[in-house]
Each structure stands twice: as C-alpha cells, then as structure tokens.
C-alpha cells in the first residue's frame, strides 16, 4: 500500500489555496451609448467607515471603458461619475459586463451580479406597474366609471402591489442574509427612507436575521440610529399626549 506523507501534502495544499486566492480577479468591460459620458472618468467606490473610497477608475472612450484588478473579498460597490452614483454592482471574481444606456443599466456575467440585476429588473417592473395605476384611473373615469368605485378598486390594487413589492424585497434580503447581496439591498432599501426608522418590513427582516447580517457595519449603524429615532418619536408622542391631556383638564 502506498502511504502519503501528510507533512508533505499539507504545505502543498496551502500553496494551492494561496495561488487560487491570488488568481481571483475582476474584469469589467463596459459599454455606454450615453454620449454625455464620453471622455468622462468613471470610478468604482465602496463605503468604508462612512466614507466613499475609490477602488478603481477608467475613462470612457468612444463609449467603452474597462477596469481590472485582484479580488481580495467580494464586495458591493457603486459606479460613480464625479460625485454622482450611477449604479451598484458586485466586485467579484470573473468578467463583469456593464451596459449603460438611457433605458438600461445592467451589470451581468457573474453569479451575484446576475442575481442583483434580476432583482432590480423585477422590482423596477413592479414600480412601473404601480405607476400605471394613475393612467388606469384616468381611463376608467373617461369610460364613465363612478369616481368613488374607481378610487376604491385602485386603492385595493395599489395595496396588493405594494405588499407584493415589499415581500419580494424582504424575501430577497432574507435569501441573501449571508452574502453581500443581503446587506447591500438592505442598504439600498433603507436609503429611500427619509431617516433611519424601524418599519414593519425592517422588523420582519431582522426577526430571523443571523448574527453575520446584524454585525454588518451598515446594518449595525442603521439599526442603532433607527432605535434612537424610535425612542425620540415615542418621547415626542408621550409629551404631545401629556400636553393634550393637560389642555383638556383646563
């Protein structure tokens, strides 16, 4: 029987791990049909300790741009032109194809970017459907439908669509708790709020969230600020009720 020397094999395996980690690289190939981008510099930036840090950059020449480099760890980044964020993407091992046009923004070619933009496209389609309700209302009224009946019907449709969209976002975050998509989409969702606050949707997300998600720097910071704001709102509500009670007694 042939016996393998473990003391020989182990360093060899470690060497393989070392080489494989060094060989992980991203390659971005971008194509833009937006003429105003020609000659502009694009930057890849990531949020670190509350600051946007530049990772890479490229000039757009005749609608084309490219970037490449090593991937130490998978991260969510934002493509910027000057100080304007254009689109999110995942910096990961592989070839990432970016398309920028007046009607489309997409980053595809790698596993997480494909998942991210499938999510974004479906959510955008839901938003378009929500926007269609106003036009639907105008058509129904022009067709002679009763205004109150129209409002009642469309209010129900809007509520159903809003719940469907909220559930879709929530489920996507839950499915991706343990990779960068979960915290990244959570960050995108929270950025639409006027200020950090605990909503029923966020409470649902946090109810089953694992420690790795809760310990994410952005998630942790958001939750801390949201809880402070909730306490302030409760205090304001309590003072208002106390003031109203005093006024009624007088």
């Amino acid at each position: 029987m042939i016996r393998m020397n473990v003391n020989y094999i182990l360093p060899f395996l470690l060497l393989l791990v070392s080489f494989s980690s060094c060989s992980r690289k991203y390659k971005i190939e971008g194509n833009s049909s937006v003429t105003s981008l020609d000659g502009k510099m694009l930057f890849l930036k990531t949020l670190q300790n509350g600051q946007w840090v530049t990772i890479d950059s490229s000039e757009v020449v005749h609608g084309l741009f490219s970037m490449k480099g090593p991937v130490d760890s998978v991260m969510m980044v934002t493509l910027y032109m000057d100080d304007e964020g254009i689109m999110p993407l995942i910096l990961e091992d592989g070839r990432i194809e970016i398309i920028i046009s007046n009607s489309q923004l997409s980053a595809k070619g790698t596993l997480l970017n494909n998942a991210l933009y499938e999510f974004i496209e479906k959510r955008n389609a839901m938003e378009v459907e929500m926007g269609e309700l106003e036009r639907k209302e105008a058509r129904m009224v022009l067709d002679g439908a009763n205004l109150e009946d129209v409002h009642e019907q469309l209010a129900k449709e809007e509520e159903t669509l809003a719940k469907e969209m909220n559930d879709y976002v929530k489920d996507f975050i839950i499915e991706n708790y343990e990779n960068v998509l979960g915290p990244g989409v959570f960050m995108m969702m929270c950025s639409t709020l006027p200020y950090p606050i605990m909503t029923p949707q966020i409470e649902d997300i946090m109810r089953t969230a694992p420690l790795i998600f809760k310990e994410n720097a952005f998630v942790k910071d958001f939750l801390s600020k949201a809880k402070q704001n909730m306490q302030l709102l409760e205090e304001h509500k309590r003072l208002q009720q106390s003031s109203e009670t005093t006024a009624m007694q007088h």
Side-chain angles (χ1 to χ4, degrees):
M1 188 197 295
I2 298 173
R3 294 175 67 86
M4 288 191 176
N5 186 332
V6 175
N7 291 331
Y8 172 77
I9 293 292
L10 189 57
F12 179 69
L13 289 174
L14 290 173
L15 194 64
L16 280 179
V17 171
S18 172
F19 273 120
S20 65
S21 64
C22 289
S23 65
R24 293 174 65 209
K25 294 176 181 175
Y26 68 88
K27 185 178 183 183
I28 292 173
E29 293 181 356
N31 191 319
S32 166
S33 60
V34 181
T35 52
S36 60
L37 282 182
D38 243 32
K40 299 280 188 182
M41 289 295 294
L42 298 181
F43 302 89
L44 281 184
K45 296 184 181 185
T46 187
L47 198 57
Q48 291 179 4
N49 302 319
Q51 301 290 322
W52 285 101
V53 178
T54 299
I55 294 169
D56 206 342
S57 62
S58 174
E59 185 182 359
V60 181
V61 180
H62 302 306
L64 302 174
F65 60 95
S66 63
M67 304 179 204
K68 61 181 178 180
V71 181
D72 295 327
S73 60
V74 177
M75 66 175 83
M76 180 169 261
V77 296
T78 301
L79 186 68
Y80 268 80
M81 183 186 76
D82 299 324
D83 293 325
E84 182 188 351
I86 298 174
M87 60 189 288
L89 63 140
I90 309 299
L91 209 57
E92 61 181 324
D93 184 36
R95 180 171 169 267
I96 304 162
E97 298 171 53
I98 294 179
I99 295 174
I100 301 174
S101 72
N102 290 319
S103 59
Q104 182 187 11
L105 289 171
S106 74
K108 294 185 179 178
T110 58
L111 186 68
L112 294 179
N113 279 302
N114 290 346
L116 175 62
Y117 275 85
E118 184 182 325
F119 163 78
I120 288 172
E121 283 165 16
K122 185 169 179 180
R123 190 184 174 284
N124 286 349
M126 288 176 171
E127 283 195 333
V128 168
E129 205 174 341
M130 291 270 281
E132 281 292 323
L133 290 179
E134 281 187 30
R135 285 184 281 277
K136 186 176 179 180
E137 179 182 17
R139 285 196 301 271
M140 289 171 76
V141 171
L142 285 171
D143 289 343
N146 179 276
L147 194 58
E148 279 187 22
D149 293 341
V150 170
H151 280 163
E152 189 179 343
Q153 181 189 328
L154 294 185
K156 286 177 183 174
E157 285 185 32
E158 186 176 8
E159 190 179 336
T160 302
L161 281 172
K163 185 181 184 308
E164 188 184 334
M165 187 159 69
N166 285 341
D167 286 348
Y168 178 61
V169 173
K170 181 186 75 177
D171 291 345
F172 183 84
I173 291 169
I174 289 171
E175 284 167 19
N176 293 281
Y177 270 149
E178 300 191 20
N179 65 58
V180 295
L181 288 177
V185 170
F186 182 80
M187 181 168 72
M188 289 161 62
M189 179 188 78
C190 293
S191 68
T192 63
L193 297 170
Y195 51 85
I197 192 169
M198 296 300 290
T199 65
Q201 185 186 24
I202 290 170
E203 285 172 353
D204 276 351
I205 289 165
M206 299 314 301
R207 195 166 289 125
T208 55
L211 192 61
I212 189 171
F213 182 84
K214 290 177 179 176
E215 288 297 312
N216 174 274
F218 176 82
V219 175
K220 203 171 180 179
D221 182 55
F222 176 87
L223 290 176
S224 172
K225 288 174 180 171
K227 284 169 183 173
Q228 286 174 20
N229 286 336
M230 294 299 284
Q231 286 173 355
L232 288 170
L233 287 169
E234 282 298 318
E235 180 65 17
H236 176 71
K237 188 177 175 183
R238 190 186 65 77
L239 288 170
Q240 196 172 28
Q241 285 174 343
S242 176
S243 175
E244 286 171 2
T245 304
T246 305
M248 285 173 68
Q249 288 172 349
H250 288 84

